[in-house]
Amino acid sequence: ELQQQVEETEVLKMELQMLETERVRLSLVEEKLLDVLQLLQQLRDLNISKRALGKILLSTLESCCDPQPGKAQLLEVLDTLQRELAACELLHKQPMEQAQSPRSLSNPLVISC
């Protein structure tokens, strides 16, 4: 009986470790997703065109295509999308353009990412 309890304890420890690993992974995914959503909100506030956002999304998906999708690929896609959105020229030009001319962002054809 004592041996069986020791084995059950070891199994429970392993399950707990797996759950903790999964919790950390989900926490990382949540953090990346929040970053992506914040960047999307900023770009929306700057009136970025749907075409430009579509190009960023397609570029991200093409650069992350993997024949065997899985948990690791999800984080890779979110990482890449976050980098692509953060690299958008509009986010970097925004403070300077607003100081010069608040109307410069009203034409979505001028925006390029």
Side-chain angles (χ1 to χ4, degrees):
E1 281 185 34
L2 186 60
Q3 179 64 28
Q4 185 179 0
Q5 287 180 347
V6 167
E7 289 173 2
E8 288 176 2
T9 302
E10 289 300 315
V11 168
L12 289 174
K13 283 181 182 178
M14 287 176 43
E15 288 178 2
L16 183 61
Q17 186 177 13
M18 288 172 41
L19 285 173
E20 181 63 21
T21 301
E22 185 66 9
R23 186 192 66 77
V24 169
R25 188 191 71 78
L26 287 174
S27 188
L28 290 172
V29 168
E30 179 184 25
E31 186 177 306
K32 276 295 171 194
L33 190 55
L34 284 175
D35 288 345
V36 166
L37 291 174
Q38 286 175 344
L39 287 167
L40 286 171
Q41 181 68 43
Q42 288 175 6
L43 290 170
R44 192 188 108 214
D45 291 345
L46 295 172
N47 295 325
I48 189 170
S49 70
K50 291 178 183 178
R51 175 177 275 170
L53 280 176
K55 285 181 181 180
I56 292 171
L57 182 59
L58 288 175
S59 169
T60 298
L61 293 175
E62 286 174 1
S63 69
C64 294
C65 66
D66 185 355
Q68 298 176 353
K71 294 176 184 178
Q73 187 187 17
L74 173 65
L75 194 54
E76 178 188 350
V77 170
L78 284 174
D79 276 339
T80 305
L81 182 57
Q82 190 258 341
R83 282 193 307 271
E84 292 279 336
L85 291 171
C88 183
E89 293 174 16
L90 184 59
L91 285 175
H92 300 291
K93 290 181 180 178
Q94 182 248 345
M96 181 175 28
E97 286 182 1
Q98 278 187 345
Q100 292 174 354
S101 168
R103 293 183 161 194
S104 64
L105 297 176
S106 64
N107 186 350
L109 299 176
V110 177
I111 299 170
S112 132
C113 285

